[in-house]
């Protein structure tokens, strides 16, 4: 007897940004029939041509594959979502000046989905939101726009997106997925869909618990980075090397997972999600001072870099004003093109205000994005950035900075000073070559004494 062909899961992903596009393409690659819906025509057109506007290793080649085998395409036509069992919302949730999320994109997406909702469909929210949003904001919008009833006619779930930028395609297949659904039947259906990607499934009792987990994930990371930054501040003032201490402290001692101090915490999520948790808790009557202080500690790190530039230049009889300073690495983290909330911009502004002549270098950031954010062009070549410079500031941990040709760079510079904000350089090596050097939690005096 011929084997019955396995029916394909049918999924519509609403919002083809940093999260939506890798997810849509990965689901299509695991065998689902996927349509990606976005309001932005330029994105839909680009994606349908096999070009990704998101830099994620493996994404563009997988996109081309799933376009070719017919499992994926992008659309601007909302009515198409009627034909898909699952509708996943991956629109943006930026925050206002108090750190409270602006849910306009979620609202407009929910209304559009509601207008097209059919019996039996399941709507899954993946955007990061305050607890209760899926049940008390999205579900009522869906019911109102559709005239259907949650539970009887359609299901909802919250499944946090936990992938890290730069590793999304790999992590989508391996990470544990948390599922909080409105009822058991929906939970089972959503479990089957996400199981097709790979990784363990953890089902929790409600969407609101899954929403809390996402905020806890990012708050935990941000707070732990702040702790590492405080360790660096302590090491600095005590004249000790924090990196040697952290590496040794973590080694074969499972209870320690000390993170890496650095020039600051950027990106669109760690900078906002802890504030969402603090805000909703405060509104409900409980303040969360540790979380707010951790944010403050991390926000102050770019200023630490600025102060190091000032003191190293002073040691070399220079002032920031009229010094040529090259910022190496502009994106918020290693090997991505994402400039959102990047600490490099804060460092740039502080130096610029003091009258420095600043040169920008980053091989990943798109030139037009750099110009828009920094109001100045980046140079395309590392040597050009270093030429006649008085100080190099490593603001991002791009892999290439681990292999800087320091000998050659020293010949190019006017005053050979380096501020290593991301622990890319061996301080002993730099000092031996005749550089003046400071790092975050790596005071020069410690290496000179050795
Ligand atoms: N960027 C990241 O690495 C991570 C982001 N998140 C969360 O995922 C969510 C999405 O973030 P990103 O992908 O970075 O945002 P993004 O801004 O890159 O993408 C959002 C996309 O949604 C589209 N959009 C907005 N309103 C729409 C509507 N009504 N209908 C259809 N499309 C619409 C936009 O045109 C855009 O392409 C946010 O809540 C974020 O906090 C969670 C984990 C990681
Ligand atoms: C809890 C957690 O691990 N959250 C992840 C985080 O990913 P994201 O892409 O923002 O990258 P990240 O590696 O946390 O880096 C964020 C920022 O923090 C800095 N950073 C990171 C780790 C560290 O030890 N020290 C440090 O200073 C980075 O330089 C960067 O500026 O936030 C993502 C998100 O929600 O956007 C989330 O999906 C990811 O799983």
């Amino acid at each position: 007897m011929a084997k019955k062909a396995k029916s394909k899961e049918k999924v519509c992903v609403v919002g083809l940004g940093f999260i939506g596009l890798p997810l849509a393409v990965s689901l299509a690659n695991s065998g689902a029939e996927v349509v990606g819906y976005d309001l932005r025509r330029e994105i839909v057109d680009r994606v349908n041509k096999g070009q990704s506007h998101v830099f994620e290793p493996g994404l563009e080649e997988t996109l081309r594959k799933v376009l070719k085998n017919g499992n994926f395409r992008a659309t601007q036509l909302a009515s198409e979502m009627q034909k898909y069992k699952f509708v996943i919302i991956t629109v943006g949730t930026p925050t206002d000046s108090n750190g409270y999320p602006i849910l306009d994109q979620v609202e407009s997406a929910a209304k559009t989905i509601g207008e097209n909702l059919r019996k039996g469909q399941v709507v899954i929210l993946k955007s990061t939101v305050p607890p209760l949003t899926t049940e008390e904001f999205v579900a009522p919008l869906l019911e109102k726009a559709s005239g259907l009833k949650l539970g009887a006619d359609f299901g909802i779930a919250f499944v946090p997106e936990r992938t890290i930028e730069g590793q999304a395609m790999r992590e989508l297949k391996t990470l544990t997925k948390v599922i909080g659904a409105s009822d058991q039947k929906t939970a089972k259906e959503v479990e089957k869909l996400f199981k097709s990607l790979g990784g363990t499934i953890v089902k929790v009792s409600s969407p609101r618990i899954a929403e809390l987990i996402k905020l806890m994930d990012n708050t935990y990371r941000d707070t732990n980075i702040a702790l590492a930054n405080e360790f660096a501040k302590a090491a600095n003032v005590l004249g000790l090397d924090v990196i040697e201490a952290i590496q040794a402290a973590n080694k074969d001692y499972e209870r320690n997972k000390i993170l890496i101090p650095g020039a600051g915490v950027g990106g669109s999520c760690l900078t906002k999600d802890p504030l969402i948790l603090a805000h909703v808790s405060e509104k409900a009557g409980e303040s969360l001072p540790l979380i707010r202080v951790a944010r403050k500690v991390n926000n102050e790190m770019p200023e630490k870099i600025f102060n190091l530039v000032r003191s190293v230049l002073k040691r070399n009889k220079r002032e920031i004003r009229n010094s040529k300073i090259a910022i190496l690495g502009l994106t918020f983290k290693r090997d991505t093109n994402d400039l959102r909330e990047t600490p490099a911009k804060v460092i740039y502004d502080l130096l610029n205000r003091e009258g420095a002549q600043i040169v920008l270098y980053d091989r990943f950031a798109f030139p037009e994005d750099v110009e828009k954010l920094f109001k100045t062009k980046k140079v395309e070549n590392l040597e050009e950035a270093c030429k006649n410079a008085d100080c190099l500031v490593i603001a991002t941990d791009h892999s290439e900075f681990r292999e800087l040709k320091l000998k050659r760079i020293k010949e190019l510079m006017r005053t050979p000073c380096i501020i290593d904000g991301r622990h890319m350089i061996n301080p002993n090596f730099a000092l031996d070559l005749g550089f003046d050097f400071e790092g975050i939690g790596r005071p020069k005096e410690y290496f000179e004494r050795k």
Side-chain angles (χ1 to χ4, degrees):
M1 204 171 70
K3 240 187 174 174
K4 207 176 143 197
K6 224 171 111 189
S7 69
K8 286 183 174 181
E9 299 284 14
K10 296 188 77 168
V11 188
C12 172
V13 175
V14 176
L16 292 176
F18 281 91
I19 284 308
L21 185 61
L23 175 71
V25 166
S26 296
L27 284 165
N29 196 38
S30 69
E33 183 187 329
V34 183
V35 71
Y37 167 75
D38 202 291
L39 296 176
R40 291 190 286 171
R41 152 154 278 176
E42 72 276 14
I43 298 254
V44 168
D45 289 347
R46 263 185 92 158
V47 165
N48 277 332
K49 280 188 207 138
Q51 293 163 3
S52 169
H53 55 289
V54 175
F55 182 85
E56 221 23 278
L59 174 58
E60 201 162 80
E61 60 193 85
T62 318
L63 168 65
R64 291 193 181 141
K65 181 179 155 197
V66 293
L67 282 168
K68 202 166 165 206
N69 71 17
N71 273 0
F72 176 71
R73 75 200 152 76
T75 184
Q76 271 196 293
L77 197 61
S79 60
E80 293 220 31
M81 57 182 79
Q82 296 168 12
K83 296 179 261 169
Y84 293 79
K85 163 85 184 172
F86 297 97
V87 182
I88 307 182
I89 305 175
T90 52
V91 297
T93 49
T95 41
D96 66 17
S97 54
N98 297 316
Y100 196 72
I102 302 164
L103 295 176
D104 295 6
Q105 292 183 37
V106 174
E107 184 175 357
S108 83
K111 280 183 181 159
T112 307
I113 296 166
E115 284 157 11
N116 291 286
L117 199 65
R118 296 292 177 266
K119 275 191 173 185
Q121 281 186 311
V122 173
V123 179
I124 302 168
L125 183 61
K126 259 193 163 284
S127 307
T128 305
V129 290
L132 298 178
T133 302
T134 308
E135 292 153 276
E136 295 189 359
F137 184 69
V138 174
L141 286 169
L142 294 171
E143 286 187 327
K144 192 165 171 223
S146 65
L148 298 176
K149 249 352 278 121
L150 174 66
D153 299 321
F154 70 96
I156 51 166
F158 185 80
V159 181
E161 181 52 64
R162 304 170 101 187
T163 52
I164 207 154
E165 259 183 69
Q167 309 265 352
M169 297 304 283
R170 184 182 60 78
E171 287 199 347
L172 275 163
K173 292 187 201 153
T174 55
L175 278 189
T176 296
K177 279 101 185 155
V178 172
I179 294 173
S182 53
D183 57 76
Q184 297 274 338
K185 178 173 165 276
T186 304
K188 268 199 178 141
E189 290 172 340
V190 177
E191 178 178 16
K192 186 166 167 250
L193 173 68
F194 281 97
K195 251 193 174 158
S196 69
L197 280 176
T200 310
I201 301 289
V202 174
K203 283 189 278 184
V204 294
S205 58
S206 59
R208 62 190 76 180
I209 292 286
E211 290 164 333
L212 176 63
I213 290 170
K214 176 64 200 177
L215 297 180
M216 282 170 30
D217 280 347
N218 280 357
T219 303
Y220 180 83
R221 186 159 175 84
D222 189 51
T223 308
N224 277 290
I225 297 170
L227 188 60
N229 283 332
E230 296 260 275
F231 290 157
K233 283 155 67 179
N236 200 59
V237 79
L238 297 170
L240 301 173
D241 177 18
V242 79
I243 296 299
E244 182 186 347
I246 289 175
Q247 283 170 352
N250 283 346
K251 188 141 180 65
D252 299 332
Y253 188 55
E254 282 203 351
R255 287 189 290 283
N256 273 356
K257 286 193 177 73
I258 303 173
L259 291 174
I260 323 271
V265 170
S268 67
C269 293
L270 294 199
T271 51
K272 73 172 167 67
D273 295 348
L275 297 177
I276 298 176
L277 186 57
H279 186 95
V280 291
S281 305
E282 278 154 18
K283 226 170 119 193
E286 189 68 79
S287 68
L288 307 178
L290 176 64
I291 291 172
R292 289 217 178 265
V293 170
R295 277 281 66 242
K296 188 166 174 285
V297 168
N298 290 337
N299 276 342
E300 284 169 356
M301 294 314 288
E303 203 176 332
K304 294 266 170 225
I305 296 283
F306 170 76
N307 290 335
L308 287 176
V309 175
R310 193 206 298 276
S311 65
V312 170
L313 284 177
K314 202 171 166 200
R315 264 194 325 239
N316 287 274
K317 315 250 176 303
R318 293 201 67 91
E319 289 183 341
I320 289 179
R321 179 174 300 281
N322 300 324
S323 288
K324 181 178 167 185
I325 296 165
I327 303 182
L328 307 185
L330 306 175
T331 61
F332 89 90
K333 64 183 272 187
R334 103 174 58 100
D335 302 348
T336 78
N337 66 346
D338 193 344
L339 290 166
R340 291 183 292 180
E341 308 302 324
T342 178
K345 176 64 166 58
V346 185
I347 298 169
Y348 173 85
D349 286 344
L350 290 167
L351 291 169
N352 197 29
R353 207 184 308 151
E354 201 88 350
Q357 188 198 333
I358 306 167
V359 186
L360 303 175
Y361 172 75
D362 189 301
R363 60 187 287 224
F364 290 95
F366 294 143
E368 59 275 20
D369 292 346
V370 172
E371 218 177 321
K372 201 167 152 204
L373 182 65
F374 291 84
K375 310 278 180 284
T376 179
K377 284 188 167 69
K378 65 171 185 161
V379 298
E380 287 306 322
N381 180 304
L382 181 65
E383 291 211 347
E384 197 185 330
C386 299
K387 213 166 172 185
N388 294 324
D390 299 300
C391 187
L392 305 184
V393 174
I394 302 180
T396 307
D397 50 347
H398 290 319
S399 311
E400 72 169 316
F401 300 146
R402 286 203 186 282
E403 275 137 41
L404 288 178
K405 298 197 167 41
L406 287 183
K407 237 176 162 171
R408 169 74 185 137
I409 286 175
K410 182 158 178 272
E411 284 165 16
L412 291 166
M413 291 180 76
R414 180 165 57 189
T415 321
C417 299
I418 298 181
I419 307 300
D420 185 358
R422 297 290 176 189
H423 322 298
M424 295 282 104
I425 288 175
N426 179 334
N428 290 313
F429 186 55
L431 291 168
D432 285 352
L433 283 175
F435 279 94
D436 200 345
F437 175 94
E438 288 287 340
I440 290 288
R442 311 196 91 178
K444 181 185 182 187
E445 58 180 284
Y446 177 77
F447 299 95
E448 280 180 334
R449 224 185 287 140
K450 280 180 92 184

